[in-house]
């Protein structure tokens, strides 16, 4: 493991294989919370924390409990329990420290538990056979990539509220169009690792 590998993992998770815009995981909170920039920022930091911590904990559970005892097939159930516990912790902290953010996030905060992006990152890092440090970098970078996409989407959607959008395209319709255009734009980063 060297710095070049860690930087490649980081750039890949943030831009090239962005969990939302390339793998299409976590679209529910991506579209639901991206209406306001403040809520998007709060959700982004919550997802960064949960993805990073879930990557660390699931790495230990898989490599030191499930795999040695030949019960690796239970990884999905174990990972969901870990993610649910972490989300409960994040939810309690946000509720106590920032009630306004807690209200703004609403139902989407508990939905991190069922956010397939968090579970997907936990599974993908195992399939990639990452070391512990690579796992931490991958989890953190995937969370940062999710947050960048969420903040960009929130900024665009706030601007679209002021734009003259045809009635038939308002709301989630234009959000899907914008998400598709963002996904195409992020594909331009695919050449970063070539050569």
């Amino acid at each position: 493991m060297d710095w070049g590998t860690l930087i490649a993992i980081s750039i890949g998770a943030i831009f090239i294989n962005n969990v939302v815009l390339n793998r299409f995981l976590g679209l529910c909170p991506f579209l639901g919370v991206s209406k306001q920039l403040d809520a998007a920022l709060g959700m982004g930091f919550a997802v960064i924390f949960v993805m990073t911590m879930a990557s660390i904990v699931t790495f230990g559970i898989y490599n030191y409990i499930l795999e040695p005892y030949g019960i690796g097939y239970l990884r999905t159930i174990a990972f969901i329990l870990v993610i649910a516990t972490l989300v409960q912790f994040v939810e309690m902290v946000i509720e106590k420290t920032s009630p306004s953010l807690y209200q703004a996030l609403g139902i989407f905060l508990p939905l991190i538990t069922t956010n397939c992006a968090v579970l997907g990152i936990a599974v993908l890092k195992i399939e990639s056979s990452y070391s512990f440090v690579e796992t931490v970098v991958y989890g953190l970078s995937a969370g940062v990539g999710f947050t960048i996409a969420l903040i960009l989407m929130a900024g665009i959607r706030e601007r679209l509220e002021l734009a003259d959008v045809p009635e038939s395209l308002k709301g989630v319709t234009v959000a899907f169009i914008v998400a598709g255009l963002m996904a195409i734009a992020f594909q331009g980063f695919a050449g970063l690792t070539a050569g």
Side-chain angles (χ1 to χ4, degrees):
M1 176 195 61
D2 59 0
W3 286 103
T5 303
L6 296 179
I7 290 170
I9 289 171
S10 184
I11 289 173
I14 294 171
F15 297 111
I16 300 164
N17 293 317
N18 185 289
V19 71
V20 176
L21 300 174
N22 184 290
R23 298 190 185 273
F24 304 112
L25 299 173
L27 288 176
C28 179
F30 175 69
L31 293 173
V33 180
S34 64
K35 294 177 185 173
Q36 297 175 338
L37 198 54
D38 294 340
L41 192 61
M43 174 64 95
F45 285 128
V47 168
I48 288 171
F49 176 78
V50 170
M51 275 191 188
T52 305
M53 294 307 296
S55 294
I56 292 168
V57 174
T58 57
F59 178 88
I61 289 173
Y62 185 78
N63 288 315
Y64 299 111
I65 297 173
L66 299 178
E67 193 63 22
Y69 291 105
I71 53 174
Y73 57 88
L74 293 175
R75 72 180 180 190
T76 303
I77 295 169
F79 292 178
I80 288 173
L81 291 173
V82 167
I83 293 165
T85 304
L86 289 169
V87 169
Q88 280 298 118
F89 174 72
V90 168
E91 189 174 1
M92 290 186 306
V93 168
I94 291 176
E95 185 177 16
K96 296 294 182 195
T97 58
S98 180
S100 61
L101 177 60
Y102 181 77
Q103 290 296 324
L105 292 175
I107 188 67
F108 294 103
L109 188 57
L111 280 178
I112 296 175
T113 303
T114 58
N115 186 345
C116 55
V118 179
L119 181 60
I121 294 304
V123 171
L124 286 170
K125 57 118 174 115
I126 287 173
E127 292 176 357
S128 299
S129 302
Y130 286 148
S131 69
F132 178 74
V133 174
E134 292 170 338
T135 294
V136 173
V137 169
Y138 183 64
L140 177 67
S141 300
V144 169
F146 181 89
T147 303
I148 288 172
L150 191 62
I151 290 171
L152 288 173
M153 183 66 153
I156 292 170
R157 286 184 76 178
E158 281 187 357
R159 296 284 304 230
L160 284 173
E161 289 296 320
L162 304 173
D164 186 25
V165 178
E167 192 65 36
S168 61
L169 294 178
K170 286 189 177 180
V172 74
T173 307
V174 74
F176 274 117
I177 293 169
V178 169
L181 292 172
M182 285 176 62
I184 291 170
F186 268 61
Q187 286 299 310
F189 291 115
L192 286 176
T193 59

